[in-house]
Amino acid sequence: MKRIFALTLSALLLCTPFSACVKPAEEGGSAAQSVTLTIWHDKEDAVAAALQSELDKLQPEIRVVLEKKNGLTEALKMVGNDPKAAPDLYFFAHDKLGVYAEMGILTPITEFVDADTLAQFLPMTLSAATYKGELYQLPIYFETLLFMYNRANMREDQVPATTEQLYAYMEEVTGGGHYGFLEQHSNAYYSAGWIHGFGGELINADGVPQLNTEQTIRALEYHLRFARLMTGESEYATVNTLFKEGRAAATIGGPWLIPTVREAGIDLGLAPMPIVDETGLPLAPYSGVQGLHVLKVAAENPAKHEAIKAVLHQLCNTDIGVAMAAASGCAPAFAACYELDEVKNDEMVMMMHALAQSAVPMPNIPEMDVMWNVVGNMLVDINMRKVNVREAADKAQKQAENLIAAMK
C-alpha cells in the first residue's frame, strides 16, 4: 500500500503544479527544496510528537511544521482566509467545525481523500466530522467518557449491567462519607449520557433545543433519583478526589482521569455503560473526535494542494492510530487499528472502541455553544436547588431559544 502511494506521489510531483516547487537537481533545482505546510494545534506534547513523526516520513518533498496555538478557536476566527496569517491545516476537535464551515474558511476533506479510503474509518468518527452533508475533518482519534470502578470497593459481580442495579448498589453502600457512585451530576457534558439513554438530546441537528421534550424530562426525573444519593457538590475536583481517595466505588469520567487515578493506587476497573432498564438503551455519553481540517485558503493554492493531499493520505493508515494510542491512550479512528495487538491489548482504548457503537458525537453546529451554560444552570436548579423538573426544563428551553435567535 505504502509502495503504491509512494509511486503515485512521485507521479504527481512530475505532472502537477506542486512539481514546480521541487525541481530535479539536474534542471537546476535543489534537492532540499520542498513545500512547507503549517498545522496549528493545541495538543499535549506526546500527541504532537506522534503526529510530527508520522508526517516527517514525507520529507524532503513535503515539510510539515506543527505550531502549538493557545486560544486556537479564537485565533482561527481572527485569521479566517488571510493567506498571510492563516495556517494550511489545523488539528482540533470536531465540535467547532460548524462555526468555521459557516465562516467559509474550510474545504471538505472529500476534495483530497476518496470514498473508498474514508470507508476504512469508524462510522461514528465520520458522522462527527460531517456538517450539512460535507465532511470537513479527517478523523485521527476520539475520546469518550468511561464507567470506572474501584476493585477494592466494588467486586466484579457487583458491577452494574443496568441503571437499576447501579441504584440498588448505591442505596446499599452510600453513607458515612462514602458513595456507591459519583459523577458531575449537574454538568451538561456528563448528564447528556443519561438524556441520550432515554432517546432525548440537548439540541437537534437543526439547532433547535430539546430541553423540555418528554424524553428529556423523563431522563432528568430519573437521573434525579441518582443525584440524591451523590454528594451535593458536583465539581470536577470534588468528584474525582473522592474517587481517588477510595471514598467512591464507581464514577463516570474521561480517559484523562485514568493516569492520576492509577497514581493514587486505585485498582481501576472499566466496564460498559449501564443499560437504562426503562428504555433498553445504554447511557450514551458524548464523544469528541480529533483530526485534521483544511483551510480553504491553502486548498486553493495550486502549490500546496497536492502536498495537502499527501499529508492527509499519510494519516490514512494504522501507523498513526497505533502511535496515538501509545502516546496518550487515544482511541484510533482508523478501523483496522483494532485488529492489531498493540491496540487490542490496551483495555482503555478497546473500551472506548466498544462505546463508540453507542456514543453520540458532540454536536458540531454553532448553536451548541449556547447550550452548555443553559443546561448547566438547569441541572443545578433540578439537582441542587430542588426546582420542579418540568418548570426548570421549560425555563431553560426558552432561554436557549432566545439565545439562539440572537445569533441569527
Side-chain angles (χ1 to χ4, degrees), residues 135-170:
L135 186 72
Y136 285 108
Q137 182 201 64
L138 182 74
I140 303 300
Y141 68 86
F142 69 93
E143 298 170 325
T144 189
L145 296 176
L146 298 161
F147 187 91
M148 307 177 189
Y149 65 98
N150 184 344
R151 289 191 175 97
N153 294 342
M154 179 181 280
R155 301 188 310 270
E156 297 288 338
D157 62 344
Q158 293 176 312
V159 175
T162 71
T163 51
E164 285 303 308
Q165 289 177 10
L166 175 61
Y167 186 77
Y169 179 81
M170 293 172 70

PDB file of all heavy atoms in Angstrom, residues 135-170:
ATOM      1  N   LEU A 135     -18.044  16.497   4.656  1.00  0.00           N
ATOM      2  CA  LEU A 135     -17.040  16.003   5.601  1.00  0.00           C
ATOM      3  C   LEU A 135     -15.901  17.005   5.678  1.00  0.00           C
ATOM      4  O   LEU A 135     -15.187  17.219   4.694  1.00  0.00           O
ATOM      5  CB  LEU A 135     -16.522  14.641   5.145  1.00  0.00           C
ATOM      6  CG  LEU A 135     -15.578  13.916   6.096  1.00  0.00           C
ATOM      7  CD1 LEU A 135     -16.349  13.389   7.307  1.00  0.00           C
ATOM      8  CD2 LEU A 135     -14.874  12.765   5.381  1.00  0.00           C
ATOM      9  N   TYR A 136     -15.718  17.617   6.839  1.00  0.00           N
ATOM     10  CA  TYR A 136     -14.726  18.685   6.978  1.00  0.00           C
ATOM     11  C   TYR A 136     -13.526  18.291   7.833  1.00  0.00           C
ATOM     12  O   TYR A 136     -12.642  19.117   8.062  1.00  0.00           O
ATOM     13  CB  TYR A 136     -15.368  19.922   7.599  1.00  0.00           C
ATOM     14  CG  TYR A 136     -16.256  20.685   6.647  1.00  0.00           C
ATOM     15  CD1 TYR A 136     -17.635  20.669   6.793  1.00  0.00           C
ATOM     16  CD2 TYR A 136     -15.715  21.441   5.605  1.00  0.00           C
ATOM     17  CE1 TYR A 136     -18.463  21.383   5.929  1.00  0.00           C
ATOM     18  CE2 TYR A 136     -16.523  22.154   4.735  1.00  0.00           C
ATOM     19  CZ  TYR A 136     -17.891  22.121   4.903  1.00  0.00           C
ATOM     20  OH  TYR A 136     -18.702  22.828   4.036  1.00  0.00           O
ATOM     21  N   GLN A 137     -13.479  17.072   8.325  1.00  0.00           N
ATOM     22  CA  GLN A 137     -12.356  16.655   9.167  1.00  0.00           C
ATOM     23  C   GLN A 137     -11.903  15.263   8.765  1.00  0.00           C
ATOM     24  O   GLN A 137     -12.748  14.398   8.494  1.00  0.00           O
ATOM     25  CB  GLN A 137     -12.768  16.648  10.639  1.00  0.00           C
ATOM     26  CG  GLN A 137     -11.643  16.271  11.613  1.00  0.00           C
ATOM     27  CD  GLN A 137     -12.183  15.775  12.955  1.00  0.00           C
ATOM     28  OE1 GLN A 137     -12.843  14.752  13.030  1.00  0.00           O
ATOM     29  NE2 GLN A 137     -11.887  16.520  14.019  1.00  0.00           N
ATOM     30  N   LEU A 138     -10.593  15.056   8.729  1.00  0.00           N
ATOM     31  CA  LEU A 138     -10.060  13.699   8.642  1.00  0.00           C
ATOM     32  C   LEU A 138      -9.861  13.236  10.083  1.00  0.00           C
ATOM     33  O   LEU A 138      -8.955  13.712  10.775  1.00  0.00           O
ATOM     34  CB  LEU A 138      -8.732  13.657   7.895  1.00  0.00           C
ATOM     35  CG  LEU A 138      -8.165  12.234   7.748  1.00  0.00           C
ATOM     36  CD1 LEU A 138      -8.965  11.459   6.695  1.00  0.00           C
ATOM     37  CD2 LEU A 138      -6.686  12.255   7.377  1.00  0.00           C
ATOM     38  N   PRO A 139     -10.695  12.315  10.577  1.00  0.00           N
ATOM     39  CA  PRO A 139     -10.584  11.906  11.984  1.00  0.00           C
ATOM     40  C   PRO A 139      -9.318  11.097  12.244  1.00  0.00           C
ATOM     41  O   PRO A 139      -8.937  10.256  11.431  1.00  0.00           O
ATOM     42  CB  PRO A 139     -11.844  11.063  12.205  1.00  0.00           C
ATOM     43  CG  PRO A 139     -12.247  10.596  10.850  1.00  0.00           C
ATOM     44  CD  PRO A 139     -11.792  11.634   9.874  1.00  0.00           C
ATOM     45  N   ILE A 140      -8.681  11.375  13.371  1.00  0.00           N
ATOM     46  CA  ILE A 140      -7.467  10.647  13.756  1.00  0.00           C
ATOM     47  C   ILE A 140      -7.732   9.800  15.010  1.00  0.00           C
ATOM     48  O   ILE A 140      -7.381   8.627  15.060  1.00  0.00           O
ATOM     49  CB  ILE A 140      -6.298  11.612  14.017  1.00  0.00           C
ATOM     50  CG1 ILE A 140      -6.035  12.483  12.770  1.00  0.00           C
ATOM     51  CG2 ILE A 140      -5.031  10.817  14.376  1.00  0.00           C
ATOM     52  CD1 ILE A 140      -5.674  11.705  11.521  1.00  0.00           C
ATOM     53  N   TYR A 141      -8.355  10.369  16.018  1.00  0.00           N
ATOM     54  CA  TYR A 141      -8.677   9.600  17.213  1.00  0.00           C
ATOM     55  C   TYR A 141      -9.887  10.216  17.902  1.00  0.00           C
ATOM     56  O   TYR A 141     -10.327  11.322  17.553  1.00  0.00           O
ATOM     57  CB  TYR A 141      -7.495   9.507  18.167  1.00  0.00           C
ATOM     58  CG  TYR A 141      -7.079  10.805  18.830  1.00  0.00           C
ATOM     59  CD1 TYR A 141      -7.683  11.249  20.005  1.00  0.00           C
ATOM     60  CD2 TYR A 141      -6.038  11.572  18.317  1.00  0.00           C
ATOM     61  CE1 TYR A 141      -7.291  12.420  20.637  1.00  0.00           C
ATOM     62  CE2 TYR A 141      -5.631  12.746  18.934  1.00  0.00           C
ATOM     63  CZ  TYR A 141      -6.253  13.168  20.089  1.00  0.00           C
ATOM     64  OH  TYR A 141      -5.871  14.318  20.708  1.00  0.00           O
ATOM     65  N   PHE A 142     -10.430   9.494  18.876  1.00  0.00           N
ATOM     66  CA  PHE A 142     -11.580  10.015  19.614  1.00  0.00           C
ATOM     67  C   PHE A 142     -11.472   9.645  21.087  1.00  0.00           C
ATOM     68  O   PHE A 142     -10.683   8.787  21.485  1.00  0.00           O
ATOM     69  CB  PHE A 142     -12.904   9.482  19.023  1.00  0.00           C
ATOM     70  CG  PHE A 142     -13.137   8.015  19.230  1.00  0.00           C
ATOM     71  CD1 PHE A 142     -13.854   7.552  20.322  1.00  0.00           C
ATOM     72  CD2 PHE A 142     -12.641   7.083  18.323  1.00  0.00           C
ATOM     73  CE1 PHE A 142     -14.069   6.196  20.517  1.00  0.00           C
ATOM     74  CE2 PHE A 142     -12.850   5.726  18.507  1.00  0.00           C
ATOM     75  CZ  PHE A 142     -13.571   5.279  19.604  1.00  0.00           C
ATOM     76  N   GLU A 143     -12.274  10.332  21.882  1.00  0.00           N
ATOM     77  CA  GLU A 143     -12.374  10.070  23.315  1.00  0.00           C
ATOM     78  C   GLU A 143     -13.840  10.046  23.710  1.00  0.00           C
ATOM     79  O   GLU A 143     -14.676  10.684  23.066  1.00  0.00           O
ATOM     80  CB  GLU A 143     -11.656  11.165  24.113  1.00  0.00           C
ATOM     81  CG  GLU A 143     -10.173  11.267  23.853  1.00  0.00           C
ATOM     82  CD  GLU A 143      -9.558  12.511  24.464  1.00  0.00           C
ATOM     83  OE1 GLU A 143     -10.240  13.554  24.489  1.00  0.00           O
ATOM     84  OE2 GLU A 143      -8.402  12.434  24.908  1.00  0.00           O
ATOM     85  N   THR A 144     -14.144   9.334  24.759  1.00  0.00           N
ATOM     86  CA  THR A 144     -15.484   9.344  25.323  1.00  0.00           C
ATOM     87  C   THR A 144     -15.392   9.018  26.804  1.00  0.00           C
ATOM     88  O   THR A 144     -14.361   8.511  27.272  1.00  0.00           O
ATOM     89  CB  THR A 144     -16.404   8.352  24.585  1.00  0.00           C
ATOM     90  OG1 THR A 144     -17.749   8.545  25.015  1.00  0.00           O
ATOM     91  CG2 THR A 144     -15.991   6.913  24.829  1.00  0.00           C
ATOM     92  N   LEU A 145     -16.433   9.322  27.538  1.00  0.00           N
ATOM     93  CA  LEU A 145     -16.443   9.028  28.965  1.00  0.00           C
ATOM     94  C   LEU A 145     -16.506   7.525  29.200  1.00  0.00           C
ATOM     95  O   LEU A 145     -17.029   6.774  28.372  1.00  0.00           O
ATOM     96  CB  LEU A 145     -17.629   9.721  29.639  1.00  0.00           C
ATOM     97  CG  LEU A 145     -17.611  11.255  29.614  1.00  0.00           C
ATOM     98  CD1 LEU A 145     -18.896  11.803  30.222  1.00  0.00           C
ATOM     99  CD2 LEU A 145     -16.402  11.800  30.357  1.00  0.00           C
ATOM    100  N   LEU A 146     -15.996   7.098  30.352  1.00  0.00           N
ATOM    101  CA  LEU A 146     -15.907   5.677  30.692  1.00  0.00           C
ATOM    102  C   LEU A 146     -16.525   5.424  32.061  1.00  0.00           C
ATOM    103  O   LEU A 146     -16.470   6.285  32.952  1.00  0.00           O
ATOM    104  CB  LEU A 146     -14.434   5.246  30.736  1.00  0.00           C
ATOM    105  CG  LEU A 146     -13.651   5.381  29.429  1.00  0.00           C
ATOM    106  CD1 LEU A 146     -12.156   5.372  29.716  1.00  0.00           C
ATOM    107  CD2 LEU A 146     -14.006   4.261  28.471  1.00  0.00           C
ATOM    108  N   PHE A 147     -17.102   4.232  32.225  1.00  0.00           N
ATOM    109  CA  PHE A 147     -17.571   3.804  33.539  1.00  0.00           C
ATOM    110  C   PHE A 147     -16.385   3.164  34.252  1.00  0.00           C
ATOM    111  O   PHE A 147     -15.852   2.144  33.815  1.00  0.00           O
ATOM    112  CB  PHE A 147     -18.723   2.808  33.424  1.00  0.00           C
ATOM    113  CG  PHE A 147     -19.353   2.461  34.742  1.00  0.00           C
ATOM    114  CD1 PHE A 147     -20.437   3.186  35.216  1.00  0.00           C
ATOM    115  CD2 PHE A 147     -18.854   1.426  35.535  1.00  0.00           C
ATOM    116  CE1 PHE A 147     -21.018   2.881  36.453  1.00  0.00           C
ATOM    117  CE2 PHE A 147     -19.423   1.120  36.759  1.00  0.00           C
ATOM    118  CZ  PHE A 147     -20.505   1.845  37.220  1.00  0.00           C
ATOM    119  N   MET A 148     -15.971   3.768  35.364  1.00  0.00           N
ATOM    120  CA  MET A 148     -14.807   3.308  36.114  1.00  0.00           C
ATOM    121  C   MET A 148     -15.244   2.847  37.505  1.00  0.00           C
ATOM    122  O   MET A 148     -16.155   3.430  38.092  1.00  0.00           O
ATOM    123  CB  MET A 148     -13.795   4.441  36.279  1.00  0.00           C
ATOM    124  CG  MET A 148     -13.397   5.125  34.991  1.00  0.00           C
ATOM    125  SD  MET A 148     -12.264   6.507  35.324  1.00  0.00           S
ATOM    126  CE  MET A 148     -12.202   7.273  33.703  1.00  0.00           C
ATOM    127  N   TYR A 149     -14.566   1.835  38.014  1.00  0.00           N
ATOM    128  CA  TYR A 149     -14.867   1.398  39.376  1.00  0.00           C
ATOM    129  C   TYR A 149     -13.586   0.977  40.086  1.00  0.00           C
ATOM    130  O   TYR A 149     -12.575   0.635  39.468  1.00  0.00           O
ATOM    131  CB  TYR A 149     -15.899   0.269  39.386  1.00  0.00           C
ATOM    132  CG  TYR A 149     -15.458  -1.025  38.739  1.00  0.00           C
ATOM    133  CD1 TYR A 149     -14.967  -2.083  39.514  1.00  0.00           C
ATOM    134  CD2 TYR A 149     -15.524  -1.203  37.360  1.00  0.00           C
ATOM    135  CE1 TYR A 149     -14.565  -3.280  38.933  1.00  0.00           C
ATOM    136  CE2 TYR A 149     -15.129  -2.390  36.759  1.00  0.00           C
ATOM    137  CZ  TYR A 149     -14.650  -3.427  37.552  1.00  0.00           C
ATOM    138  OH  TYR A 149     -14.240  -4.598  36.973  1.00  0.00           O
ATOM    139  N   ASN A 150     -13.641   1.048  41.390  1.00  0.00           N
ATOM    140  CA  ASN A 150     -12.523   0.688  42.259  1.00  0.00           C
ATOM    141  C   ASN A 150     -12.711  -0.768  42.687  1.00  0.00           C
ATOM    142  O   ASN A 150     -13.660  -1.089  43.416  1.00  0.00           O
ATOM    143  CB  ASN A 150     -12.502   1.620  43.466  1.00  0.00           C
ATOM    144  CG  ASN A 150     -11.312   1.385  44.372  1.00  0.00           C
ATOM    145  OD1 ASN A 150     -10.646   0.343  44.295  1.00  0.00           O
ATOM    146  ND2 ASN A 150     -11.043   2.340  45.248  1.00  0.00           N
ATOM    147  N   ARG A 151     -11.837  -1.630  42.215  1.00  0.00           N
ATOM    148  CA  ARG A 151     -11.986  -3.061  42.529  1.00  0.00           C
ATOM    149  C   ARG A 151     -11.894  -3.357  44.023  1.00  0.00           C
ATOM    150  O   ARG A 151     -12.385  -4.390  44.483  1.00  0.00           O
ATOM    151  CB  ARG A 151     -10.920  -3.865  41.769  1.00  0.00           C
ATOM    152  CG  ARG A 151     -11.144  -3.940  40.266  1.00  0.00           C
ATOM    153  CD  ARG A 151     -10.219  -4.972  39.640  1.00  0.00           C
ATOM    154  NE  ARG A 151     -10.487  -5.168  38.224  1.00  0.00           N
ATOM    155  CZ  ARG A 151      -9.826  -4.572  37.235  1.00  0.00           C
ATOM    156  NH1 ARG A 151      -8.848  -3.716  37.536  1.00  0.00           N
ATOM    157  NH2 ARG A 151     -10.135  -4.809  35.988  1.00  0.00           N
ATOM    158  N   ALA A 152     -11.279  -2.460  44.766  1.00  0.00           N
ATOM    159  CA  ALA A 152     -11.190  -2.670  46.214  1.00  0.00           C
ATOM    160  C   ALA A 152     -12.544  -2.473  46.887  1.00  0.00           C
ATOM    161  O   ALA A 152     -12.778  -2.987  47.993  1.00  0.00           O
ATOM    162  CB  ALA A 152     -10.170  -1.715  46.823  1.00  0.00           C
ATOM    163  N   ASN A 153     -13.445  -1.727  46.242  1.00  0.00           N
ATOM    164  CA  ASN A 153     -14.761  -1.446  46.817  1.00  0.00           C
ATOM    165  C   ASN A 153     -15.890  -2.208  46.130  1.00  0.00           C
ATOM    166  O   ASN A 153     -16.861  -2.609  46.781  1.00  0.00           O
ATOM    167  CB  ASN A 153     -15.068   0.051  46.731  1.00  0.00           C
ATOM    168  CG  ASN A 153     -14.141   0.887  47.585  1.00  0.00           C
ATOM    169  OD1 ASN A 153     -13.495   0.370  48.484  1.00  0.00           O
ATOM    170  ND2 ASN A 153     -14.070   2.179  47.306  1.00  0.00           N
ATOM    171  N   MET A 154     -15.765  -2.368  44.840  1.00  0.00           N
ATOM    172  CA  MET A 154     -16.838  -2.990  44.050  1.00  0.00           C
ATOM    173  C   MET A 154     -16.307  -4.282  43.434  1.00  0.00           C
ATOM    174  O   MET A 154     -15.384  -4.253  42.623  1.00  0.00           O
ATOM    175  CB  MET A 154     -17.325  -2.025  42.961  1.00  0.00           C
ATOM    176  CG  MET A 154     -18.417  -2.590  42.062  1.00  0.00           C
ATOM    177  SD  MET A 154     -18.955  -1.407  40.770  1.00  0.00           S
ATOM    178  CE  MET A 154     -20.075  -0.366  41.713  1.00  0.00           C
ATOM    179  N   ARG A 155     -16.895  -5.404  43.835  1.00  0.00           N
ATOM    180  CA  ARG A 155     -16.485  -6.682  43.273  1.00  0.00           C
ATOM    181  C   ARG A 155     -16.951  -6.804  41.824  1.00  0.00           C
ATOM    182  O   ARG A 155     -17.877  -6.126  41.394  1.00  0.00           O
ATOM    183  CB  ARG A 155     -17.070  -7.842  44.084  1.00  0.00           C
ATOM    184  CG  ARG A 155     -16.688  -7.864  45.556  1.00  0.00           C
ATOM    185  CD  ARG A 155     -17.164  -9.161  46.208  1.00  0.00           C
ATOM    186  NE  ARG A 155     -18.574  -9.440  45.917  1.00  0.00           N
ATOM    187  CZ  ARG A 155     -19.594  -9.016  46.672  1.00  0.00           C
ATOM    188  NH1 ARG A 155     -19.355  -8.274  47.748  1.00  0.00           N
ATOM    189  NH2 ARG A 155     -20.828  -9.344  46.343  1.00  0.00           N
ATOM    190  N   GLU A 156     -16.327  -7.722  41.107  1.00  0.00           N
ATOM    191  CA  GLU A 156     -16.688  -7.928  39.701  1.00  0.00           C
ATOM    192  C   GLU A 156     -18.167  -8.284  39.563  1.00  0.00           C
ATOM    193  O   GLU A 156     -18.842  -7.831  38.635  1.00  0.00           O
ATOM    194  CB  GLU A 156     -15.831  -9.035  39.086  1.00  0.00           C
ATOM    195  CG  GLU A 156     -14.341  -8.734  39.028  1.00  0.00           C
ATOM    196  CD  GLU A 156     -13.985  -7.686  37.983  1.00  0.00           C
ATOM    197  OE1 GLU A 156     -14.779  -7.505  37.047  1.00  0.00           O
ATOM    198  OE2 GLU A 156     -12.919  -7.051  38.117  1.00  0.00           O
ATOM    199  N   ASP A 157     -18.687  -9.077  40.497  1.00  0.00           N
ATOM    200  CA  ASP A 157     -20.093  -9.481  40.396  1.00  0.00           C
ATOM    201  C   ASP A 157     -21.055  -8.377  40.833  1.00  0.00           C
ATOM    202  O   ASP A 157     -22.274  -8.516  40.735  1.00  0.00           O
ATOM    203  CB  ASP A 157     -20.358 -10.750  41.213  1.00  0.00           C
ATOM    204  CG  ASP A 157     -20.105 -10.557  42.708  1.00  0.00           C
ATOM    205  OD1 ASP A 157     -19.450  -9.563  43.089  1.00  0.00           O
ATOM    206  OD2 ASP A 157     -20.571 -11.395  43.492  1.00  0.00           O
ATOM    207  N   GLN A 158     -20.509  -7.256  41.320  1.00  0.00           N
ATOM    208  CA  GLN A 158     -21.339  -6.111  41.698  1.00  0.00           C
ATOM    209  C   GLN A 158     -21.364  -5.024  40.625  1.00  0.00           C
ATOM    210  O   GLN A 158     -22.124  -4.061  40.746  1.00  0.00           O
ATOM    211  CB  GLN A 158     -20.836  -5.505  43.014  1.00  0.00           C
ATOM    212  CG  GLN A 158     -21.000  -6.397  44.226  1.00  0.00           C
ATOM    213  CD  GLN A 158     -20.388  -5.774  45.464  1.00  0.00           C
ATOM    214  OE1 GLN A 158     -19.255  -5.301  45.445  1.00  0.00           O
ATOM    215  NE2 GLN A 158     -21.140  -5.773  46.560  1.00  0.00           N
ATOM    216  N   VAL A 159     -20.533  -5.158  39.611  1.00  0.00           N
ATOM    217  CA  VAL A 159     -20.503  -4.153  38.546  1.00  0.00           C
ATOM    218  C   VAL A 159     -21.868  -4.148  37.861  1.00  0.00           C
ATOM    219  O   VAL A 159     -22.332  -5.179  37.367  1.00  0.00           O
ATOM    220  CB  VAL A 159     -19.388  -4.467  37.523  1.00  0.00           C
ATOM    221  CG1 VAL A 159     -19.445  -3.479  36.362  1.00  0.00           C
ATOM    222  CG2 VAL A 159     -18.029  -4.417  38.203  1.00  0.00           C
ATOM    223  N   PRO A 160     -22.551  -3.010  37.840  1.00  0.00           N
ATOM    224  CA  PRO A 160     -23.938  -2.984  37.366  1.00  0.00           C
ATOM    225  C   PRO A 160     -24.055  -3.100  35.843  1.00  0.00           C
ATOM    226  O   PRO A 160     -23.372  -2.405  35.105  1.00  0.00           O
ATOM    227  CB  PRO A 160     -24.452  -1.632  37.836  1.00  0.00           C
ATOM    228  CG  PRO A 160     -23.223  -0.776  37.887  1.00  0.00           C
ATOM    229  CD  PRO A 160     -22.114  -1.690  38.322  1.00  0.00           C
ATOM    230  N   ALA A 161     -24.949  -3.976  35.410  1.00  0.00           N
ATOM    231  CA  ALA A 161     -25.249  -4.084  33.978  1.00  0.00           C
ATOM    232  C   ALA A 161     -26.357  -3.120  33.592  1.00  0.00           C
ATOM    233  O   ALA A 161     -26.471  -2.731  32.430  1.00  0.00           O
ATOM    234  CB  ALA A 161     -25.661  -5.511  33.631  1.00  0.00           C
ATOM    235  N   THR A 162     -27.175  -2.718  34.584  1.00  0.00           N
ATOM    236  CA  THR A 162     -28.286  -1.811  34.325  1.00  0.00           C
ATOM    237  C   THR A 162     -28.267  -0.668  35.335  1.00  0.00           C
ATOM    238  O   THR A 162     -27.612  -0.745  36.384  1.00  0.00           O
ATOM    239  CB  THR A 162     -29.644  -2.527  34.430  1.00  0.00           C
ATOM    240  OG1 THR A 162     -29.909  -2.825  35.812  1.00  0.00           O
ATOM    241  CG2 THR A 162     -29.655  -3.817  33.603  1.00  0.00           C
ATOM    242  N   THR A 163     -29.012   0.375  35.020  1.00  0.00           N
ATOM    243  CA  THR A 163     -29.064   1.524  35.928  1.00  0.00           C
ATOM    244  C   THR A 163     -29.780   1.173  37.228  1.00  0.00           C
ATOM    245  O   THR A 163     -29.435   1.713  38.287  1.00  0.00           O
ATOM    246  CB  THR A 163     -29.768   2.710  35.246  1.00  0.00           C
ATOM    247  OG1 THR A 163     -31.031   2.281  34.711  1.00  0.00           O
ATOM    248  CG2 THR A 163     -28.912   3.268  34.120  1.00  0.00           C
ATOM    249  N   GLU A 164     -30.762   0.290  37.192  1.00  0.00           N
ATOM    250  CA  GLU A 164     -31.441  -0.097  38.427  1.00  0.00           C
ATOM    251  C   GLU A 164     -30.510  -0.900  39.331  1.00  0.00           C
ATOM    252  O   GLU A 164     -30.575  -0.780  40.567  1.00  0.00           O
ATOM    253  CB  GLU A 164     -32.709  -0.876  38.125  1.00  0.00           C
ATOM    254  CG  GLU A 164     -33.857  -0.003  37.620  1.00  0.00           C
ATOM    255  CD  GLU A 164     -34.212   1.122  38.585  1.00  0.00           C
ATOM    256  OE1 GLU A 164     -34.434   0.846  39.782  1.00  0.00           O
ATOM    257  OE2 GLU A 164     -34.243   2.292  38.147  1.00  0.00           O
ATOM    258  N   GLN A 165     -29.645  -1.702  38.731  1.00  0.00           N
ATOM    259  CA  GLN A 165     -28.634  -2.409  39.532  1.00  0.00           C
ATOM    260  C   GLN A 165     -27.667  -1.395  40.153  1.00  0.00           C
ATOM    261  O   GLN A 165     -27.248  -1.558  41.307  1.00  0.00           O
ATOM    262  CB  GLN A 165     -27.878  -3.405  38.661  1.00  0.00           C
ATOM    263  CG  GLN A 165     -28.699  -4.613  38.245  1.00  0.00           C
ATOM    264  CD  GLN A 165     -27.946  -5.546  37.313  1.00  0.00           C
ATOM    265  OE1 GLN A 165     -26.737  -5.409  37.110  1.00  0.00           O
ATOM    266  NE2 GLN A 165     -28.656  -6.508  36.732  1.00  0.00           N
ATOM    267  N   LEU A 166     -27.329  -0.375  39.407  1.00  0.00           N
ATOM    268  CA  LEU A 166     -26.460   0.676  39.939  1.00  0.00           C
ATOM    269  C   LEU A 166     -27.139   1.384  41.105  1.00  0.00           C
ATOM    270  O   LEU A 166     -26.516   1.625  42.155  1.00  0.00           O
ATOM    271  CB  LEU A 166     -26.121   1.677  38.835  1.00  0.00           C
ATOM    272  CG  LEU A 166     -25.319   2.918  39.262  1.00  0.00           C
ATOM    273  CD1 LEU A 166     -23.955   2.518  39.834  1.00  0.00           C
ATOM    274  CD2 LEU A 166     -25.148   3.884  38.095  1.00  0.00           C
ATOM    275  N   TYR A 167     -28.407   1.689  40.953  1.00  0.00           N
ATOM    276  CA  TYR A 167     -29.140   2.393  42.012  1.00  0.00           C
ATOM    277  C   TYR A 167     -29.227   1.539  43.282  1.00  0.00           C
ATOM    278  O   TYR A 167     -29.035   2.042  44.400  1.00  0.00           O
ATOM    279  CB  TYR A 167     -30.541   2.759  41.529  1.00  0.00           C
ATOM    280  CG  TYR A 167     -31.311   3.609  42.506  1.00  0.00           C
ATOM    281  CD1 TYR A 167     -31.046   4.975  42.632  1.00  0.00           C
ATOM    282  CD2 TYR A 167     -32.285   3.053  43.332  1.00  0.00           C
ATOM    283  CE1 TYR A 167     -31.737   5.760  43.538  1.00  0.00           C
ATOM    284  CE2 TYR A 167     -32.981   3.828  44.247  1.00  0.00           C
ATOM    285  CZ  TYR A 167     -32.708   5.181  44.342  1.00  0.00           C
ATOM    286  OH  TYR A 167     -33.380   5.952  45.255  1.00  0.00           O
ATOM    287  N   ALA A 168     -29.493   0.258  43.107  1.00  0.00           N
ATOM    288  CA  ALA A 168     -29.574  -0.635  44.262  1.00  0.00           C
ATOM    289  C   ALA A 168     -28.237  -0.694  44.992  1.00  0.00           C
ATOM    290  O   ALA A 168     -28.190  -0.702  46.236  1.00  0.00           O
ATOM    291  CB  ALA A 168     -29.997  -2.035  43.811  1.00  0.00           C
ATOM    292  N   TYR A 169     -27.145  -0.719  44.237  1.00  0.00           N
ATOM    293  CA  TYR A 169     -25.824  -0.735  44.857  1.00  0.00           C
ATOM    294  C   TYR A 169     -25.574   0.573  45.612  1.00  0.00           C
ATOM    295  O   TYR A 169     -25.051   0.567  46.729  1.00  0.00           O
ATOM    296  CB  TYR A 169     -24.758  -0.947  43.785  1.00  0.00           C
ATOM    297  CG  TYR A 169     -23.351  -0.945  44.337  1.00  0.00           C
ATOM    298  CD1 TYR A 169     -22.814  -2.089  44.943  1.00  0.00           C
ATOM    299  CD2 TYR A 169     -22.565   0.204  44.275  1.00  0.00           C
ATOM    300  CE1 TYR A 169     -21.528  -2.080  45.463  1.00  0.00           C
ATOM    301  CE2 TYR A 169     -21.283   0.223  44.794  1.00  0.00           C
ATOM    302  CZ  TYR A 169     -20.770  -0.924  45.383  1.00  0.00           C
ATOM    303  OH  TYR A 169     -19.498  -0.906  45.914  1.00  0.00           O
ATOM    304  N   MET A 170     -25.961   1.697  45.004  1.00  0.00           N
ATOM    305  CA  MET A 170     -25.788   2.991  45.659  1.00  0.00           C
ATOM    306  C   MET A 170     -26.545   3.041  46.977  1.00  0.00           C
ATOM    307  O   MET A 170     -26.025   3.509  47.998  1.00  0.00           O
ATOM    308  CB  MET A 170     -26.240   4.115  44.726  1.00  0.00           C
ATOM    309  CG  MET A 170     -25.386   4.295  43.488  1.00  0.00           C
ATOM    310  SD  MET A 170     -26.105   5.476  42.303  1.00  0.00           S
ATOM    311  CE  MET A 170     -25.894   7.029  43.184  1.00  0.00           C
TER     312      MET A 170
END
